Amino acid sequence: MSPAATSRAATPAYRRLSVEQRRSQLLDSALTLFAHRAPEDVSLDDVAEAAGVSRPLVYRYFPGGKQQLYEAALRTAADALEQCFDEPPHGPLTARLSRALTRYLAFVDEHDTGFSALLQGGSVVSTSRTSAIVDEVRAVAAARILAHLPVTDPGPRLGLMVRTWISAVEAASLIWLDEEKRPPLDELRDWLLDHFLAMTTATAASDPQTAEVLRAALEMETADGVAGSLARRVLPVVSDAAHLL
Amino acid sequence: MSPAATSRAATPAYRRLSVEQRRSQLLDSALTLFAHRAPEDVSLDDVAEAAGVSRPLVYRYFPGGKQQLYEAALRTAADALEQCFDEPPHGPLTARLSRALTRYLAFVDEHDTGFSALLQGGSVVSTSRTSAIVDEVRAVAAARILAHLPVTDPGPRLGLMVRTWISAVEAASLIWLDEEKRPPLDELRDWLLDHFLAMTTATAASDPQTAEVLRAALEMETADGVAGSLARRVLPVVSDAAHLL
């Protein structure tokens, strides 16, 4: 065997990746680690080991160390999360929302510890930059929902309602993780959909724009869909409240 | 004038306070500053100046510097916030909730910048200790609401609903601050009350315990109260949705 061949054989397999591939591989490893451990429990050694590379190589790609790696992994996660909200504008609104929520909650399920650490704050790697990325995801989610309603110029009530519901989804996701992922994900999703309809209805009660949006949305809903199911289940619950009318 | 008299006259007025009074005065000054400025824009010199004392005196009471002062001020704020939820168990549920919300929102209004900085995270003084204090306030609010429902052993759905609504109130408060405090506080409060009723109704649709709580609560509501007003405003909005039943 020639010295050149020996050298090639001794070259670790990871040298064959391009810069972009290597960076992406390191980010994947980091995101997997940050997804299931608190940021303070992830070291650069862990990332190097998970990626099958040396610590200096991780530093070559991320000279800012753990903080830079965390922020880059968060950027990757934010992009993935924003893709959850991509949904064609066809069919009943609640069916679209249900598909987007299913993808979002699957993301929460897959990145449980990291999701909690990120949103609960107080973590060693929380900075104004990480907060800005989280806010960006919220803003994208709000814009997508408004586009589906469809509304281009939301008044303050409708904007407040959509942003508040998104926060409620986040909060419920955190509580769900905290409660050892009970109830099952599809029950949580269905409850969040019911919540969306109820909140929209309550907002429509005092805001003409939301009322118009709700009427148009309900026209497209079917009796066997989310709105029909909620309507039939709500009626018996409020049937004793005739004294309020 | 004797030397002793001169010495007394030169003694700054603040020396007359007891240790507890001094500590409390420094905390008041700190809380006022932290309420209206981002934590990074408050220095110990500012606190000393606002309290009319020297910087070393501030350090004597808070040897941990700004971080310790911030956490102590936050503790004071948390205690004040928890008092907002004190409400006697009489009258319609929504009237009690309305009074508690009025106090809570007045607190948000009075501590605007600090409230945002605290809850939006990424601040220089955010730690796991500050997060724990915020979580404690949320837990107290949830326990108070459950006590008013009244429920001693909440199932997972009811617990999730109450905690999610509290998060929605927080989120709406932050959005309200971000939107230059529009709409007026009483409109925000009324919307949050409508939201509570709507969310309870939607949860009652799939949870027997919540349904029981809602029925009992609605029995005590009157036509001229929050629930009556919401019921009359919702009916016309959903009147076109008979195809869902």
Side-chain angles (χ1 to χ4, degrees), chain B residues 118-132:
Chain B
L118 177 66
L119 292 183
Q120 283 176 334
S123 133
V124 290
V125 290
S126 294
T127 65
S128 55
R129 283 190 303 276
T130 61
S131 293

Side-chain angles (χ1 to χ4, degrees), chain B:
Chain B
M1 200 183 274
S2 75
T6 308
S7 166
R8 259 204 305 284
T11 301
Y14 64 77
R15 298 246 167 159
R16 290 188 203 126
L17 298 182
S18 74
V19 168
E20 255 325 293
Q21 288 171 323
R22 171 66 64 204
R23 189 183 140 81
S24 158
Q25 180 219 14
L26 292 176
L27 278 181
D28 281 350
S29 298
L31 188 53
T32 304
L33 287 169
F34 284 124
H36 297 299
R37 293 191 208 166
E40 53 270 30
D41 297 334
V42 177
S43 70
L44 280 203
D45 281 331
D46 294 331
V47 176
E49 192 189 329
V53 305
S54 68
R55 196 168 196 274
L57 185 74
V58 179
Y59 262 109
R60 188 144 44 123
Y61 278 79
F62 298 96
K66 186 158 96 173
Q67 184 69 34
Q68 190 190 2
L69 195 53
Y70 181 81
E71 291 181 18
L74 179 58
R75 180 70 263 163
T76 305
D79 293 342
L81 208 39
E82 288 171 10
Q83 281 183 5
C84 294
F85 312 136
D86 283 342
E87 178 65 34
H90 308 303
L93 182 66
T94 55
R96 302 181 216 170
L97 206 50
S98 176
R99 287 188 291 269
L101 264 182
T102 298
R103 291 189 290 267
Y104 174 84
L105 293 173
F107 180 95
V108 171
D109 191 16
E110 280 162 28
H111 301 79
D112 38 27
T113 309
F115 185 84
S116 295
L118 177 66
L119 292 183
Q120 283 176 334
S123 133
V124 290
V125 290
S126 294
T127 65
S128 55
R129 283 190 303 276
T130 61
S131 293
I133 294 177
V134 174
D135 281 342
E136 177 208 287
V137 174
R138 291 177 182 138
V140 168
R144 296 288 162 84
I145 291 175
L146 288 167
H148 276 281
L149 286 181
V151 169
T152 47
D153 189 19
R157 296 302 191 104
L158 188 53
L160 178 66
M161 186 211 95
V162 168
R163 291 171 69 187
T164 301
W165 183 72
I166 288 168
S167 294
V169 170
E170 259 179 40
S173 300
L174 287 173
I175 295 166
W176 180 75
L177 292 175
D178 198 39
E179 298 283 336
E180 291 166 357
K181 304 191 178 178
R182 282 173 302 189
L185 255 200
D186 57 341
E187 287 183 28
L188 177 64
R189 179 200 61 213
D190 292 347
W191 178 72
L192 288 169
L193 289 169
D194 285 350
H195 179 191
F196 180 83
L197 280 175
M199 202 171 174
T200 307
T201 304
T203 307
S206 55
D207 180 56
Q209 185 184 38
T210 308
E212 200 182 313
V213 160
L214 179 64
R215 276 205 194 85
L218 290 182
E219 262 179 38
M220 299 186 66
E221 296 286 325
T222 57
D224 61 351
V226 173
S229 162
L230 179 61
R232 287 191 303 277
R233 284 177 290 125
V234 158
L235 279 186
V237 171
V238 297
S239 59
D240 295 338
H243 65 288
L244 298 178
L245 298 176

Side-chain angles (χ1 to χ4, degrees), chain A:
Chain A
M1 199 184 271
S2 75
T6 310
S7 167
R8 259 202 307 281
T11 301
Y14 63 78
R15 297 244 167 162
R16 291 191 204 126
L17 297 183
S18 72
V19 168
E20 256 324 295
Q21 286 171 325
R22 172 66 63 205
R23 190 182 138 83
S24 158
Q25 181 218 14
L26 292 176
L27 278 180
D28 281 351
S29 298
L31 188 54
T32 304
L33 288 168
F34 284 124
H36 298 297
R37 294 192 208 165
E40 53 270 31
D41 297 334
V42 176
S43 69
L44 281 203
D45 282 330
D46 295 331
V47 176
E49 191 188 330
V53 303
S54 67
R55 197 169 196 275
L57 185 74
V58 178
Y59 262 110
R60 191 148 44 137
Y61 278 80
F62 299 95
K66 187 158 97 172
Q67 185 68 34
Q68 189 189 2
L69 196 53
Y70 181 81
E71 290 182 19
L74 179 57
R75 180 69 262 165
T76 304
D79 292 343
L81 208 39
E82 289 172 11
Q83 281 182 6
C84 295
F85 311 136
D86 282 343
E87 179 64 34
H90 308 303
L93 182 65
T94 54
R96 302 181 216 171
L97 206 50
S98 176
R99 286 188 292 267
L101 263 182
T102 298
R103 290 188 291 267
Y104 174 86
L105 293 173
F107 180 95
V108 171
D109 191 17
E110 281 162 28
H111 301 80
D112 39 27
T113 309
F115 185 84
S116 295
L118 176 66
L119 292 184
Q120 284 176 334
S123 135
V124 289
V125 289
S126 293
T127 64
S128 55
R129 284 190 302 276
T130 61
S131 293
I133 293 177
V134 174
D135 282 341
E136 176 209 287
V137 174
R138 290 177 181 137
V140 167
R144 296 287 162 85
I145 291 175
L146 289 167
H148 276 281
L149 287 181
V151 169
T152 47
D153 190 20
R157 296 303 190 102
L158 188 52
L160 177 66
M161 185 211 96
V162 168
R163 290 172 69 186
T164 301
W165 183 72
I166 288 168
S167 295
V169 170
E170 258 179 41
S173 300
L174 287 174
I175 295 165
W176 179 75
L177 291 175
D178 198 39
E179 297 284 337
E180 292 167 356
K181 304 192 179 180
R182 282 172 303 192
L185 256 199
D186 56 341
E187 288 184 28
L188 177 64
R189 180 201 58 212
D190 291 348
W191 179 72
L192 289 169
L193 289 170
D194 286 349
H195 178 192
F196 179 83
L197 280 174
M199 199 171 177
T200 306
T201 304
T203 307
S206 56
D207 180 55
Q209 184 185 38
T210 308
E212 200 182 313
V213 160
L214 180 64
R215 276 205 194 87
L218 290 181
E219 262 179 39
M220 298 185 68
E221 295 287 325
T222 56
D224 61 352
V226 173
S229 162
L230 180 61
R232 287 192 303 277
R233 283 177 291 127
V234 158
L235 279 185
V237 171
V238 297
S239 61
D240 295 339
H243 64 287
L244 298 178
L245 297 177

